[in-house]
Amino acid sequence: DVQLQASGGGLVQAGGSLRLSCAASGITLKDYAIGWFRQAPGKEREAVSCIRRRDDDAYYTYSVKGRFTISRDSAWATVYLQMNSLKPEDTARYYCVEGDFYCSENYFDPVGIERWGKGTLVTVSS
């Protein structure tokens, strides 16, 4: 079974940085993508970023472009989300997802997501 374990959340002041990790195991697809969603209290879930194994193509939602960077280790065992210049509006629970879903520089289509991790909480204080 595919397992996703997100970690790295915490409390940070505005302007600070955090690095989230998504440890993935059991993936048997030859091509897939791993991404991050977030959900703030009282708000809808939002697609934040994703990366596709086939070509390392990556997507960022507009509000995090230039501040967040998604990357992965050489074995694709862990996908990272480096978050810099954090803002209070980045406060949310962050979930990593995996599956054969469309992920490109311009679009993140959640259709095809097969697994959700449990999430890690990021709190940015002002």
Side-chain angles (χ1 to χ4, degrees):
D1 285 351
V2 174
Q3 294 191 4
L4 302 174
Q5 181 64 51
S7 62
L11 174 63
V12 64
Q13 288 188 331
S17 298
L18 283 174
R19 188 176 79 160
L20 304 185
S21 299
C22 177
S25 61
I27 299 174
T28 59
L29 296 172
K30 290 186 178 180
D31 184 33
Y32 55 90
I34 291 180
W36 292 92
F37 273 77
R38 66 185 179 186
Q39 188 165 23
K43 294 189 177 180
E44 292 188 358
R45 195 173 290 175
E46 175 188 26
V48 177
S49 180
C50 62
I51 186 167
R52 185 83 193 187
R53 176 157 188 156
R54 177 179 61 237
D55 51 15
D56 273 346
D57 213 357
Y59 166 89
Y60 301 94
T61 193
Y62 180 80
S63 63
V64 309
K65 280 186 177 180
R67 300 189 298 122
F68 290 12
T69 303
I70 194 168
S71 63
R72 43 75 176 187
D73 65 11
S74 59
W76 277 83
T78 305
V79 171
Y80 305 98
L81 187 67
Q82 178 67 43
M83 307 187 297
N84 298 329
S85 302
L86 282 161
K87 304 175 181 180
E89 51 264 43
D90 294 317
T91 294
R93 181 167 291 276
Y94 286 70
Y95 300 86
C96 61
V97 299
E98 173 273 338
D100 185 11
F101 58 87
Y102 188 84
C103 173
S104 73
E105 180 181 356
N106 298 312
Y107 194 53
F108 179 172
D109 185 352
V111 174
I113 290 176
E114 298 183 9
R115 292 288 185 278
W116 288 76
K118 288 187 177 181
T120 185
L121 183 62
V122 172
T123 303
V124 184
S125 62
S126 57

